[in-house]
Amino acid sequence: MAQLKLTNSMGRRKAVFEPLDPANVGIYVCGPTVYNYAHIGNARPAVVFDVLRRVLMHVYPKVTYVSNFTDIDDKIINAALESGQPIESITNKFADIYNADMKALGVLPPDHQPRATETVPEMIAIIENLIARGHAYVAEGHVLFDVPSFKDYGKLSGRSRDEQIAGARVDVAPYKRDPADYVLWKPSPPGYPTWDSPWGAGRPGWHIECSAMAEKHLGLNFDIHGGGLDLTFPHHENEIAQSVCAYEHAGFARVWMHNGFLAVEGEKMSKSIGNVLLVNDLLKHAPGEAIRFALLSSHYRQPFDWTQHGLEEATTTLTRFYTVADTATAPGKVDPEFFDALCDDLNTPLAIARLHALAKAGNGADLKVSAQMLGLLGGDLKTWSAWFTKAIDTAAVDSLITQRNAARSAKNWAESDRIRDQLAALGVAIKDNKDGTTSWSAT
RNA sequence: GGCGCGAUGGCCGAAUGGUGAGGCAGAGGACUGCAAAUCCUUCAAUGCCGGUUCGAUUCCGGCUCGCGCCUCCA
């Protein structure tokens, strides 16, 4: 069996993955802040690390997958203040929508899906340890992490502290001992959510939550931590600093994995451009499986340009794959070349190329089983096709086809072609079979 | 300004120190009343300038272009 190799952002090298405990591999992936619908940029890490999870599950007997909801954040609070709704109704609503959207994309539910608001005591415990160990200090109601006290700070993102200070664009808060120090705990203004703490009522900073949730469910040392490349600094850098400094033997994640950025039609996705694509909207126009397939068509570390053309191509390819998989008569196996590609740092484009080869060879059985490791071809041709035909009046289509076949029998080609055009206008493509029957599919 | 990432055919996208996968699109053919689908065949690429090397798309340096992050901030 091929060895699984993964690129570790820490050190930027590809290496054979060796779990701490082969009997139970632990992985943590930063989840969404639940104050709005998930966009396609949120979907990429979810899908990419879901594939990693499936590959790991093929190799190891047990995988513990943890992904959180961030439900304490000023963005959420602002959304609550603007809409007049309680914070919980916003976070609950968008957490549910997120899970439904991810399910539609074929993402397996995490084994643990902790929420920041449920993990505040653990955050406070870490902060207390950091203060006790001389890595954090209290100033004006805030608790700050003492960045110079951690010599490895900046190792993940490749930044020295001096560089950060030289490049800082933001005014430094006066109570910071060092400009690089960041907030672990802060006071809440009136009307904001608060928790009691040894430093007064307040709320946690952003970064501490992932340290607390990862530690709670995976321990002080675990195998893999994933997330978007944009989280490398400061979020992941700070997670490392807190977790490693809070305990004697804490190493935190051993392998860091980051997926590349996502653009839309060649432009960066942003509210100001108005090109933010929500998964929820995309799902109205394409099956989730096609969205997933499109996202996997480039390597996870490469920048990804989401395009309508790419989505259409993914849809067409899946129709072809389902058509071939439908011919399978015996159980298949995971194709070795396909699996080798995935073991080489999740080379999904190369793996998909192998799926094309299996399809071309008419090997529907192996195609289906292999594709399922990517979270694809889990259904069958019938249910896949049904997604496209659901808006079509099948009785009307059947009636038109009957009329057309009558015209064909009479060799009235003009009438036959007219009806075919009429069907095409309804979004129906027809196929005259050798046995004289006519079948159709939605376009 | 600092740090980092990327650049392969018309488009998407792998790989590699020694004749550069696969998909989409295009072209030709088979099939079809004509199509569609399918099958066969086929065209076509390593951003620019140097260096190392017998040989560079790959390694090193510089450049151009595109992108991300720069600390609790949208």
Side-chain angles (χ1 to χ4, degrees), chain A residues 339-354:
Chain A
F339 187 64
D340 285 353
L342 286 185
C343 283
D344 185 11
D345 199 28
L346 301 183
N347 193 335
T348 52
L350 190 59
I352 289 169
R354 183 59 192 161

Side-chain angles (χ1 to χ4, degrees), chain A residues 301-316:
Chain A
R301 281 188 295 112
Q302 295 290 113
F304 185 87
D305 188 20
W306 177 270
T307 62
Q308 179 63 27
H309 178 260
L311 179 58
E312 287 166 7
E313 198 175 316
T315 307
T316 305

Side-chain angles (χ1 to χ4, degrees), chain A residues 31-45:
Chain A
T33 301
V34 278
Y35 72 108
N36 206 337
Y37 290 92
H39 56 67
I40 189 69
N42 298 323
R44 168 126 103 144

Side-chain angles (χ1 to χ4, degrees), chain A residues 161-179:
Chain A
R161 206 169 55 81
D162 293 342
E163 286 162 357
Q164 294 155 36
I165 296 164
R169 294 181 310 194
V170 181
D171 291 338
V172 175
Y175 48 79
K176 290 187 179 181
R177 285 186 197 163
D178 186 281

Side-chain angles (χ1 to χ4, degrees), chain A residues 226-244:
Chain A
L229 191 54
D230 50 334
L231 296 176
T232 307
F233 187 89
H235 185 56
H236 291 160
E237 201 70 74
N238 291 352
E239 279 187 55
I240 294 170
Q242 293 147 11
S243 295
V244 170

Side-chain angles (χ1 to χ4, degrees), chain A residues 37-325:
Chain A
Y37 290 92
H39 56 67
I40 189 69
N42 298 323
R44 168 126 103 144
V47 168
V48 161
F49 291 109
D50 184 68
V51 170
L52 173 63
R53 179 185 187 181
R54 289 167 189 264
V55 172
L56 288 169
M57 288 184 348
H58 187 72
V59 180
Y60 300 102
K62 184 180 176 189
V63 176
T64 302
Y65 189 96
V66 183
S67 189
N68 68 291
F69 282 131
T70 291
D71 58 353
I72 309 175
D73 186 284
D74 284 2
K75 289 193 286 269
I76 299 172
I77 296 167
N78 291 337
L81 294 174
E82 281 171 23
S83 66
Q85 294 180 61
I87 287 172
E88 300 75 41
S89 59
I90 291 174
T91 55
N92 286 338
K93 174 186 168 188
F94 287 111
D96 287 347
I97 291 170
Y98 177 84
N99 279 342
D101 286 349
M102 292 309 116
K103 184 181 180 186
L105 297 184
V107 175
L108 300 170
D111 296 302
H112 301 283
Q113 196 168 34
R115 298 185 183 210
T117 50
E118 297 166 351
T119 323
V120 175
E122 287 84 352
M123 296 187 219
I124 290 173
I126 292 174
I127 296 170
E128 286 184 310
N129 275 7
L130 288 170
I131 293 172
R133 292 169 64 87
H135 288 292
Y137 59 92
V138 181
E140 296 184 23
H142 294 68
V143 183
L144 291 113
F145 185 85
D146 183 0
V147 168
S149 74
F150 180 51
K151 64 174 169 43
D152 281 342
Y153 191 84
K155 203 172 161 191
L156 177 69
S157 55
R159 294 157 195 258
S160 76
R161 206 169 55 81
D162 293 342
E163 286 162 357
Q164 294 155 36
I165 296 164
R169 294 181 310 194
V170 181
D171 291 338
V172 175
Y175 48 79
K176 290 187 179 181
R177 285 186 197 163
D178 186 281
D181 292 350
Y182 63 92
V183 169
L184 296 166
W185 188 268
K186 57 190 170 185
S188 290
Y192 277 45
T194 60
W195 287 263
D196 288 331
S197 83
W199 320 285
R203 59 208 165 110
W206 170 35
H207 314 295
I208 191 69
E209 61 179 62
C210 283
S211 286
M213 290 185 275
E215 176 201 319
K216 182 176 182 178
H217 295 285
L218 295 172
L220 298 177
N221 296 277
F222 59 94
D223 293 304
I224 300 170
H225 189 128
L229 191 54
D230 50 334
L231 296 176
T232 307
F233 187 89
H235 185 56
H236 291 160
E237 201 70 74
N238 291 352
E239 279 187 55
I240 294 170
Q242 293 147 11
S243 295
V244 170
C245 291
Y247 302 94
E248 185 83 37
H249 297 295
F252 209 55
R254 302 170 76 233
V255 178
W256 285 86
M257 293 177 68
H258 292 97
N259 62 276
F261 304 112
L262 185 139
V264 170
E265 305 288 354
E267 284 189 306
K268 74 170 179 179
M269 188 166 60
S270 76
K271 280 182 186 168
S272 57
I273 298 175
N275 62 348
V276 176
L277 292 180
L278 304 179
V279 175
N280 207 262
D281 288 336
L282 287 169
L283 285 169
K284 294 169 188 164
H285 305 290
E289 192 172 347
I291 296 169
R292 179 183 181 98
F293 188 80
L295 286 171
L296 294 175
S297 66
S298 91
H299 187 90
Y300 76 93
R301 281 188 295 112
Q302 295 290 113
F304 185 87
D305 188 20
W306 177 270
T307 62
Q308 179 63 27
H309 178 260
L311 179 58
E312 287 166 7
E313 198 175 316
T315 307
T316 305
T317 303
L318 279 170
T319 298
R320 173 172 155 69
F321 282 0
Y322 265 119
T323 304
V324 176

Side-chain angles (χ1 to χ4, degrees), chain A residues 320-333 355 357-372 377 379:
Chain A
R320 173 172 155 69
F321 282 0
Y322 265 119
T323 304
V324 176
D326 198 49
T327 65
T329 51
K333 63 179 191 324
L355 295 182
L358 292 171
K360 194 166 191 169
N363 188 345
D366 290 358
L367 171 66
K368 189 173 177 69
V369 173
S370 301
Q372 283 173 355
L377 300 189

